[in-house]
């Protein structure tokens, strides 16, 4: 059984850079000086090898993937970069599948993965809703028959509610839904097919999942913190459909998206894709394992103006998810020609320095409720 | 790029892998029928979810039945690609008659796939 590593230890480094771990220096002790110097000279805070990424393009759709398991873990643990394509966010598919198909011998494992916990909760909720439906059906039936006095109705309602409450408590305390149900034929067929695609001839588990990086993450990890084995300028021109001799719409979008991404990363936020909330990015104070994201970011060109319904729609979605909507306006301060010239010369620092970021928080306000 | 590589990088294939190996669907297929829409080829996927989806049909024993999925990538979705006209064509040409809904499967540039129901006509909302 693996020992559980606490999150604070596992996610010690917020970005893929490490300060040197130097021993304590005792000023009056020359041996300590010698040891300190030795440690200083021999320690090394860069990666020994750059991380390899595969970049492929299909129908103008770009894929940036890291396939090495150790590299995937490295990028996730240090700043939560990338998404596992077959997981919720952290690439856990390999571990989970290994547990599912290869450790049936040791029976119950106590390492309960997040996905399993969620599955269990969902199952409980479905079961609860079924019960609730039965109760509602019963009440409706009684009402239709029409021989209920209002007092009787209240009494029955109260009784049924108590029953439901008790059902919910029982579920939680007994984990009654956590039993493996009998495997049906259909399920067996599915498992067989799944298994046939993930095992090689020698029954070794193939890793189907890679860590996919967003284009902005790829620029960040090759320009701001150069740890990927690609050149950011080459990557940018690959990303845009045309070469970088023309200031295209795609190029502009990519540049302002990156300017915003870099802005939040450099202010210490963990920035991840906001697709699930209909926004460009979401911001975590530290990272997904620690708390929910607090902010949804919409990246807009500084002179962009949208119809009112556009803002209210997004604000409502973010509000329901308990997040604050931030409109992040990015302004270009230099001419298109100047930007292109710098890009072609590979002077990315100058390129990104010519973008300015300004923010507006958009929040629904209700006169009667928001009085404090 | 070889045909096989090409195939494996397509969004249809990305959705297929996600359904088979993450969502645990069965009988997942990339459908043979296809249609041309604004210089793009649209192909659907079909498959059976592990448990009945919200508002979904079930067979007499309460098991989930086949659902259709329309894979798009987010960049496509932004540029007014999916219109009513396009959806009508999809329901008419690519689905079995009486199909009530398809599942829009949006593939994002970070590898996440998000799913949305698209109903033909008005439909009673979920409880």
């Amino acid at each position: 059984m693996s020992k559980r590593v606490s999150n604070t230890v596992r996610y010690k480094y917020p970005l893929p850079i490490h300060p040197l771990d130097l021993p304590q220096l005792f000023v009056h002790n020359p041996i300590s000086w010698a040891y300190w110097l030795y440690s200083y000279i021999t320690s090394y805070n860069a990666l020994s090898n750059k991380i390899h990424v595969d970049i492929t393009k299909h129908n103008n759709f770009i894929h940036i993937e890291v396939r090495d398991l150790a590299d995937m873990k490295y990028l996730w643990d240090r700043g939560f970069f990338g998404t596992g394509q077959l997981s919720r966010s952290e690439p856990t598919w390999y571990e989970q599948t290994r547990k599912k198909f290869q450790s049936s011998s040791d029976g119950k494992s106590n390492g309960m993965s997040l996905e399993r916990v969620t599955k269990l909760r969902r199952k409980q909720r479905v079961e609860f809703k079924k019960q609730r439906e039965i109760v509602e059906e019963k009440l409706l039936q009684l009402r239709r028959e029409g021989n209920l006095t209002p007092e009787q109705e209240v009494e029955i309602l109260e009784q049924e509610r108590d029953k439901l409450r008790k059902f919910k408590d029982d579920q939680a305390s007994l984990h009654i839904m956590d039993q493996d149900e009998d495997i049906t034929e259909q399920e067996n067929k599915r498992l067989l097919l799944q298994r046939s695609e993930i095992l090689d001839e020698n029954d070794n588990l193939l890793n189907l999942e890679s860590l996919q990086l967003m284009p902005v993450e790829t620029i960040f990890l090759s320009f701001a913190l150069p740890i990927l084995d690609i050149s950011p300028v080459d990557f940018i021109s690959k990303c845009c459909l045309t070469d970088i001799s023309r200031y295209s719409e795609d190029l502009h979008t990519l540049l302002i998206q990156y300017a915003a991404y870099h802005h939040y990363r450099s202010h210490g936020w963990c920035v991840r894709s906001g697709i699930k909330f209909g926004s460009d990015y979401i911001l975590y104070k530290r990272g997904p394992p620690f708390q929910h994201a607090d902010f949804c970011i919409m990246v807009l060109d500084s002179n962009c103006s949208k119809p009112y319904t556009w803002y209210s729609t997004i604000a409502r979605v973010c509000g329901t998810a308990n997040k604050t909507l931030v409109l992040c306006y990015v302004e270009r301060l230099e001419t298109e020609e100047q930007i292109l010239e710098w890009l072609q010369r590979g002077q990315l620092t100058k390129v990104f320095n010519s973008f300015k970021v300004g923010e507006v928080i958009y929040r629904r306000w209700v006169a009667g409720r928001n009085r404090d | 790029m070889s045909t096989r590589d090409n195939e494996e990088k397509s969004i249809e294939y990305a959705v297929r892998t996600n359904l088979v190996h993450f969502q645990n669907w069965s009988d997942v297929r990339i459908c043979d029928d296809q249609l041309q829409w604004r210089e793009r080829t649209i192909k659907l996927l079909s498959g059976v979810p592990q448990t009945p989806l919200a508002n979904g049909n079930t067979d007499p024993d309460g098991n989930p039945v086949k659902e259709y999925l329309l894979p798009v990538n987010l960049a496509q979705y932004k540029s007014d690609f999916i219109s009513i006209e396009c959806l009508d064509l999809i329901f008419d040409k690519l689905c079995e008659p009486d199909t009530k809904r398809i599942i829009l499967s949006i593939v994002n540039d970070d590898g996440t796939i998000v799913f949305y129901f698209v109903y033909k006509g008005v439909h009673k909302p979920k409880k």
Side-chain angles (χ1 to χ4, degrees), chain B residues 55-108:
Chain B
N55 262 341
N57 288 338
T58 50
D59 68 4
D61 299 333
N63 296 316
V65 292
K66 184 158 94 175
E67 303 271 357
Y68 283 101
L69 300 104
L70 167 64
V72 280
N73 71 48
L74 187 63
Q76 263 181 338
Y77 189 57
K78 273 182 182 160
S79 56
D80 302 331
F81 172 56
I82 307 285
S83 61
I84 298 286
E85 200 186 343
C86 169
L87 284 170
D88 276 345
L89 271 177
I90 291 171
F91 275 113
D92 276 357
K93 302 248 161 81
L94 301 181
C95 302
E96 278 166 14
D98 296 334
T99 304
K100 277 196 221 135
R101 66 171 178 200
I102 53 174
I103 300 170
L104 188 64
S105 321
I106 306 174
V107 183
N108 190 25

Side-chain angles (χ1 to χ4, degrees), chain A residues 103-142:
Chain A
S103 74
S104 46
S105 54
D106 69 46
K108 285 212 164 166
S109 77
N110 46 21
M112 219 185 186
S113 63
L114 282 175
E115 275 85 351
R116 269 195 69 200
V117 174
T118 313
K119 202 177 152 197
L120 178 65
R121 287 203 195 121
R122 282 203 186 129
K123 249 163 115 186
Q124 287 181 341
R125 220 172 298 144
V126 168
E127 199 59 25
F128 175 75
K129 280 188 183 156
K130 264 189 204 153
Q131 286 293 324
R132 194 177 60 185
E133 226 165 80
I134 294 173
V135 170
E136 278 171 3
E137 194 75 13
K138 210 165 135 190
L139 276 174
L140 197 70
Q141 191 64 35
L142 282 174

Side-chain angles (χ1 to χ4, degrees), chain A residues 167-185:
Chain A
F167 179 79
K168 208 171 186 178
D169 292 344
D170 286 351
Q171 257 191 334
S173 58
L174 296 170
H175 290 288
I176 50 169
M177 302 313 298
D178 192 25
Q179 290 144 2
D180 278 344
E181 56 272 79
D182 289 337
I183 291 179
T184 61
E185 203 177 311

Side-chain angles (χ1 to χ4, degrees), chain A residues 57 236-246 248 250-251:
Chain A
K57 211 165 178 182
I236 291 173
S237 58
K238 214 174 193 172
C239 247
C240 306
L241 307 181
T242 50
D243 56 319
I244 45 175
S245 58
R246 199 170 66 80
S248 63
D250 284 336
L251 178 62

Side-chain angles (χ1 to χ4, degrees), chain A residues 278-281 296-300 310 314 325-329:
Chain A
S279 65
D280 288 321
Y281 301 126
C296 283
I297 309 293
M298 237 23 214
V299 182
L300 300 166
W310 186 89
I314 296 170
L325 173 63
V326 179
L327 301 173
C328 173
Y329 288 97

Side-chain angles (χ1 to χ4, degrees), chain A residues 30-302:
Chain A
I31 299 171
S32 133
W33 276 91
Y35 183 53
W36 192 90
L37 270 176
Y38 170 78
S39 301
Y40 182 77
I41 292 161
T42 54
S43 44
Y44 190 60
N45 69 349
L47 269 180
S48 48
N49 287 312
K50 295 224 163 180
I51 291 174
H52 176 68
V53 283
D54 286 325
I55 300 176
T56 47
K57 211 165 178 182
H58 181 89
N59 287 346
N60 300 330
F61 192 48
I62 201 156
H63 279 271
I64 308 123
E65 290 165 287
V66 178
R67 291 178 202 281
D68 182 83
L69 277 174
D71 288 344
M72 284 162 71
K73 188 172 182 318
Y74 182 88
L75 286 176
W76 175 262
D77 284 0
R78 290 161 179 79
F80 309 100
F81 290 96
T83 303
Q85 296 153 323
L86 301 177
S87 312
R88 216 158 43 180
S89 47
E90 179 189 353
T92 54
W93 181 86
Y94 186 81
E95 261 311 294
Q96 286 207 23
T97 315
R98 198 179 55 80
K99 269 188 206 148
K100 189 161 108 195
F101 285 123
Q102 293 185 332
S103 74
S104 46
S105 54
D106 69 46
K108 285 212 164 166
S109 77
N110 46 21
M112 219 185 186
S113 63
L114 282 175
E115 275 85 351
R116 269 195 69 200
V117 174
T118 313
K119 202 177 152 197
L120 178 65
R121 287 203 195 121
R122 282 203 186 129
K123 249 163 115 186
Q124 287 181 341
R125 220 172 298 144
V126 168
E127 199 59 25
F128 175 75
K129 280 188 183 156
K130 264 189 204 153
Q131 286 293 324
R132 194 177 60 185
E133 226 165 80
I134 294 173
V135 170
E136 278 171 3
E137 194 75 13
K138 210 165 135 190
L139 276 174
L140 197 70
Q141 191 64 35
L142 282 174
R143 252 182 236 147
R144 275 208 195 112
E145 284 164 13
N147 41 21
L148 271 184
T149 61
E151 292 82 42
Q152 272 176 317
E153 196 174 319
V154 171
E155 197 181 318
I156 293 174
L157 208 65
E158 218 26 71
Q159 274 175 7
E160 295 295 341
R161 273 201 196 127
D162 276 347
K163 267 192 213 159
L164 275 180
R165 232 170 266 142
K166 191 170 175 306
F167 179 79
K168 208 171 186 178
D169 292 344
D170 286 351
Q171 257 191 334
S173 58
L174 296 170
H175 290 288
I176 50 169
M177 302 313 298
D178 192 25
Q179 290 144 2
D180 278 344
E181 56 272 79
D182 289 337
I183 291 179
T184 61
E185 203 177 311
Q186 169 91 357
E187 179 70 359
N188 237 337
K189 223 174 86 193
R190 184 184 71 73
L191 284 171
L192 275 175
L193 175 90
Q194 215 178 31
R195 208 175 308 206
S196 71
E197 289 187 9
I198 56 177
L199 298 177
D200 66 6
E201 312 82 78
N202 306 320
D203 270 3
N204 291 318
L205 182 60
L206 301 167
N207 185 21
L208 288 195
E209 182 175 59
S210 59
L211 184 81
Q212 191 164 329
L213 296 173
M214 292 190 282
V216 286
E217 287 176 317
T218 313
I219 301 176
F220 188 78
L221 293 172
S222 55
F223 158 68
L225 296 170
I227 58 165
L228 301 182
D229 67 347
I230 50 157
S231 128
V233 182
D234 290 350
F235 175 74
I236 291 173
S237 58
K238 214 174 193 172
C239 247
C240 306
L241 307 181
T242 50
D243 56 319
I244 45 175
S245 58
R246 199 170 66 80
Y247 195 88
S248 63
E249 186 69 39
D250 284 336
L251 178 62
H252 182 69
T253 312
L254 183 66
L255 294 181
I256 65 169
Q257 288 278 337
Y258 181 73
Y261 182 87
H262 191 115
H263 170 75
Y264 293 112
R265 272 285 178 189
S266 55
H267 282 88
W269 293 96
C270 165
V271 190
R272 295 188 52 82
S273 166
I275 176 118
K276 285 169 189 160
F277 304 98
S279 65
D280 288 321
Y281 301 126
I282 47 175
L283 300 186
Y284 291 88
K285 248 183 213 146
R286 221 174 141 185
F290 295 98
Q291 67 280 95
H292 290 293
D294 291 325
F295 298 96
C296 283
I297 309 293
M298 237 23 214
V299 182
L300 300 166
D301 188 87
S302 58

